[in-house]
Amino acid sequence: MKNYVPNALTLLNLFCGCIAVVFAAHNHFIAAAAFVFGGVFFDFFDGFAARKLGVSSELGLQLDSLADMVTSGVVPGIVMFKLLGLSIDRPELAIDEGSWNAFFSGEDILPSFLPIIGFFITLSSAYRLAKFNLDEEQQDYFKGLPTPANTLLIISLPLILELQHNEMMNAIIMNQGVLIALTITSTFLLNAPIVLFALKFKTWGFKPNAIRYVFLIISVLLLILLQFAAIPLIILVYVAMSMLDIVIKGSY
């Protein structure tokens, strides 16, 4: 039975992702975020369970990527699509007069299609997951930003808007230029040739896991101080610490 435990956790990740898609599509971002967090939780522990039970398999690897494609690929694309739509007060694709002529009409075409840029995140996530499955080196580190981390970054934006009620933060997040820049940055980081440490604990000792423990402590402190606004900063800290670790160690 232990052979089925990791795959069952992976399927729970996929299940959470499916529900998150439904909520995100209907602008229920808090509920969508809750299921994304659940999916990320199961995504972390399916690999952990596979390693501890000694039942890692090619099937599990492929299934994990398929589940991540929904939870950490489709969901952030939908969220960014919705945010871009809201930033130009056009949450849906061209709806003027409900006609095809209006859909493709002159000056309205840019506002109508702009939100679709958000799905570049989904495309980049798919490309990254496919590369990850073919790369046998990424055991103790990642090349490029992992899709779950990127998803937490994107899903944090509507949470900041809905739960923190900070006018300055809201103005920044709902700025069309900021959202486009963030989409481009996210798309780049997912497949960037940068090496990032993995949060995989082979032992619980401090010395071999010093960077992981320090990162977790910093992350908890930031979350306590800034709540959901801490998540973008945590991603920046993650990238910065990884690059600093490379400089210190020379390589992984």
Side-chain angles (χ1 to χ4, degrees), residues 23-41:
F23 279 122
H26 289 85
N27 295 342
H28 298 308
F29 296 120
I30 296 177
F35 281 97
V36 165
F37 291 143
V40 171
F41 173 84

Side-chain angles (χ1 to χ4, degrees), residues 128 138-146 149 189-190 192-199 211-212 235-246 252:
R128 174 189 163 67
Q138 297 187 60
Q139 300 299 320
D140 299 316
Y141 63 89
F142 296 113
K143 292 179 183 177
L145 187 66
L189 286 177
L190 283 166
I194 56 176
V195 176
L196 306 172
F197 66 86
L199 285 173
I211 190 171
R212 297 174 180 83
I235 301 301
L236 288 176
V237 169
Y238 175 50
V239 174
M241 288 184 65
S242 295
M243 297 179 71
L244 179 62
D245 194 43
I246 287 293
Y252 275 94

